[in-house]
Amino acid sequence: MEKEMTIADAIKEFKDELGEEVTLVAVSKTKPNDLLMQAYEAGQRDFGENKIQEMTDKHASLPKDIKWHMVGHVQSNKVKYMAPYVHMVHAVDKYKTLKEINKRAKQNDRTINCLLQLKIAEEDSKFGLSETDLKDLLASPGLQDMEHVKIRGLMGMATFTEDERQIHAEFEKLERVYFELKDNHDFDTLSMGMSGDYQLAIPHHTNMVRIGSSIFGKRD
Ligand SMILES: *Cc1c(COP(=O)(O)O)cnc(C)c1O
């Protein structure tokens, strides 16, 4: 049996494996602050959460140089709580949400980084936009006026499956759409890959992976 890795070991191994080009977002949802601090002390600064309330509580008590990533689906009525500090919102799939983020960012005199979520998985439960709807959203006239939102790229989640060929096909789609839009929309961020599938995302040019359980252990 291998000895349990510490959180600091896991951070170090991921950083060595991913290199400088790929940003590691440590997804710390459901985990207590002392575990986040172990990652922080190992040099980790980007943390991901999927609930605005939990992220806001953690932001209040943890060091202020942490970059907070909202990786979960966003409810418009809660955007105001994260607007003062959130670094990046990963899973935007509605014009209405962008509009609300823009409004709240403006009130805080900030610009908030956003990613649009492309639906690549087969499962119905996953959020995200179809390719057509995503392109239509990017073409919507009102977007030009949203001066406090910066759409930095795309995010996606593959189907939870053992079938690597299927995961490859889904990541390949996200990669294709990203590179199709990249130049015209000034994209620089492709958020793709989690604990179970990030190694499959690397050949598809991911530059941001969202890793939870492989750093912090299983969630209850
Ligand atoms: C929880 C979560 C992750 C991390 O999942 P792990 O399998 O624990 O690495 C990544 N992305 C999103 C959107 C999540 O909700």
Side-chain angles (χ1 to χ4, degrees), residues 55 68-74 79 82 86-92 97 101 112-116 155:
M55 181 170 77
W68 292 99
H69 295 249
M70 174 42 57
V71 301
H73 191 253
V74 171
V79 168
M82 66 175 172
V86 69
H87 172 69
M88 184 173 268
V89 182
H90 283 235
V92 178
T97 310
I101 295 171
I112 296 178
N113 299 306
C114 293
L115 304 176
L116 298 180
M155 175 268 201

Side-chain angles (χ1 to χ4, degrees), residues 74-213:
V74 171
Q75 287 171 270
S76 288
N77 61 340
K78 292 190 178 155
V79 168
K80 57 179 178 284
Y81 301 115
M82 66 175 172
Y85 69 87
V86 69
H87 172 69
M88 184 173 268
V89 182
H90 283 235
V92 178
D93 63 0
K94 282 194 197 69
Y95 182 83
K96 180 174 162 243
T97 310
L98 276 179
K99 214 174 149 188
E100 176 66 10
I101 295 171
N102 183 64
K103 174 181 160 188
R104 299 298 178 179
K106 183 175 182 193
Q107 289 174 348
N108 286 279
D109 202 16
R110 302 184 67 224
T111 299
I112 296 178
N113 299 306
C114 293
L115 304 176
L116 298 180
Q117 182 174 4
L118 182 69
K119 184 180 157 74
I120 51 174
E122 270 184 352
E123 297 133 48
D124 290 336
S125 62
K126 298 265 162 77
F127 293 102
L129 293 150
S130 70
E131 180 178 348
T132 311
D133 289 347
L134 189 146
K135 288 176 175 169
D136 285 351
L137 198 165
L138 279 172
S140 32
L143 218 56
Q144 255 63 327
D145 302 327
M146 294 190 195
E147 291 176 357
H148 296 266
V149 157
K150 171 84 184 107
I151 301 177
R152 298 278 298 267
L154 305 183
M155 175 268 201
M157 286 170 87
T159 303
F160 188 71
T161 174
E162 304 271 280
D163 183 354
E164 294 199 354
R165 274 190 315 182
Q166 182 175 351
I167 298 172
H168 269 301
E170 292 174 358
F171 283 163
E172 192 173 295
K173 174 172 182 179
L174 184 52
E175 176 189 28
R176 173 181 59 75
V177 176
Y178 174 76
F179 282 101
E180 239 179 84
L181 297 168
K182 183 180 185 293
D183 290 342
N184 277 342
H185 295 278
D186 205 15
F187 284 174
D188 62 8
T189 307
L190 177 55
S191 169
M192 171 164 87
M194 326 194 341
S195 294
D197 59 20
Y198 76 93
Q199 280 161 324
L200 304 181
I202 289 169
H204 296 291
H205 302 96
T206 182
N207 60 23
M208 186 171 276
V209 295
R210 309 175 310 271
I211 309 289
S213 42

